[in-house]
Amino acid sequence: MTRVRTHERVLAQIESGLTAGKWSIGERLPAERALAEELGVSRPSVREAIRILEAMGIVRTAVGSGPSAGATVIDRPAAGLGAAVRLHVASGTLPVSDVVRTRVLLEAGAVQDAAARVTDDAALASVREHVEAMADPDLDVAAFVEHDQDFHIELARLGGNQLVEAILSGMRAAVGSYVVTGAERLEEWPRTAARLCAEHRGILDAVARHDGAEAERLTREHIEGFYRETGLGER
C-alpha cells in the first residue's frame, strides 16, 4: 500500500475546504501555525503544501505581517496547468504527431467559439497586428513563429475557455519547436510563409464575420497542411 506523505494529506484537506466553500477567491487561508494546528500536522508540511498550491496557481503568498501577508486564494487556472503541460512536453516523450493532433482538436473548437463570442472588430485588433507583422518578407523564421504563436493563442483566448488556453499556452514551446524545425526543412520558406499569412487572414476574417464553421475548417487545414508539407510525420 502506498504511503501518503503528510503534505499530500494537507493538500487533500485544503482541497476539501475549497470545494466546500470554506475559503473563497480573494480570501486568505489561516496562518501557517493555525492551519498546522487545525489539520494536526507540522508547519513544514503546511509550508510544502502551500508552495505546491502556489505553483499550481491556486494561492498567492506574501511575506510579512500585514493584511496581505500569508496565502490568498486566487483564480489563475492557466498558471499551474500550463506549467504542468510545458514540463511534460519538455521531457521529450510526446511525439510531434500528438502535439499536432491536440492543437487541431483544441484550436479548431476555440476559433469556432471565438466566432460566436466576438462582438466587434476591436477585439481582434491585436490579432490583426500579428498577421500584419508576419507579412513582412524580411522577418526571420524565429520572429515569424513568435507572431504565429501569439496569433493562435490570442484567438484561442477569445474563445473564452480558460482550460483550452492553459493547455495551448503550455504547449507553446513544443509547437514552436516543431514549426521551426519544419520551416528549416523547406527550400522555399518565403513562399510557405506567404501562404501561411494568407491562411491566417482567412481564419481571422471568418471569425470576424462570425462564421464559426469556416473558421474551424480553415484552422484544421492550416495546422494539418503545414505538418504534411514539412514531412514531420515521416519516419
Side-chain angles (χ1 to χ4, degrees):
M1 181 176 178
T2 303
R3 183 179 179 182
V4 178
R5 289 175 291 183
T6 305
H7 77 271
E8 292 175 335
R9 288 197 289 110
V10 176
L11 284 171
Q13 289 174 285
I14 292 176
E15 180 184 354
S16 296
L18 291 169
T19 302
K22 188 174 182 179
W23 305 293
S24 302
I25 292 173
E27 293 184 355
R28 282 192 298 164
L29 295 180
E32 187 180 285
R33 183 191 297 275
L35 201 54
E37 292 175 354
E38 178 184 341
L39 301 178
V41 298
S42 67
R43 292 180 66 178
S45 294
V46 170
R47 198 174 302 128
E48 180 66 17
I50 296 299
R51 286 197 191 104
I52 293 172
L53 289 172
E54 185 169 32
M56 294 170 66
I58 305 301
V59 302
R60 178 185 62 248
T61 61
V63 297
S65 57
S68 62
T72 303
V73 180
I74 59 174
D75 183 19
R76 290 181 59 226
L81 183 57
V85 173
R86 200 160 53 243
L87 287 169
H88 281 293
V89 170
S91 70
T93 57
L94 296 177
V96 172
S97 59
D98 285 1
V99 175
V100 173
R101 290 190 186 103
T102 302
R103 276 194 75 193
V104 170
L105 288 170
L106 296 179
E107 289 194 37
V111 296
Q112 202 163 22
D113 290 341
R117 286 169 52 90
V118 169
T119 57
D120 57 61
D121 201 56
L124 298 171
S126 65
V127 185
R128 288 194 186 281
E129 289 177 5
H130 293 301
V131 174
E132 295 308 315
M134 283 183 280
D136 181 354
D138 296 323
L139 201 65
D140 62 31
V141 172
F144 183 98
V145 172
E146 280 295 311
H147 284 294
D148 174 74
Q149 292 190 286
D150 287 338
F151 168 86
H152 285 281
I153 290 176
E154 287 185 25
L155 265 187
R157 184 177 298 121
L158 290 173
N161 188 317
Q162 294 183 63
L163 184 57
V164 168
E165 179 191 345
I167 295 172
L168 289 173
S169 295
M171 291 170 56
R172 181 174 181 129
V175 172
S177 176
Y178 90 69
V179 172
V180 169
T181 299
E184 291 173 345
R185 288 187 173 201
L186 300 173
E187 295 182 2
E188 293 292 337
W189 163 248
R191 181 187 301 171
T192 297
R195 193 198 77 240
L196 294 175
C197 282
E199 292 172 357
H200 287 143
R201 287 195 182 92
I203 294 167
L204 188 56
D205 289 346
V207 170
R209 63 175 183 270
H210 311 294
D211 190 342
E214 180 70 355
E216 187 272 345
R217 181 185 69 80
L218 291 174
T219 298
R220 185 180 299 274
E221 292 178 355
H222 170 71
I223 296 171
E224 292 178 342
F226 179 79
Y227 180 60
R228 285 193 303 269
E229 179 188 12
T230 56
L232 287 168
E234 298 174 1
R235 293 185 179 276

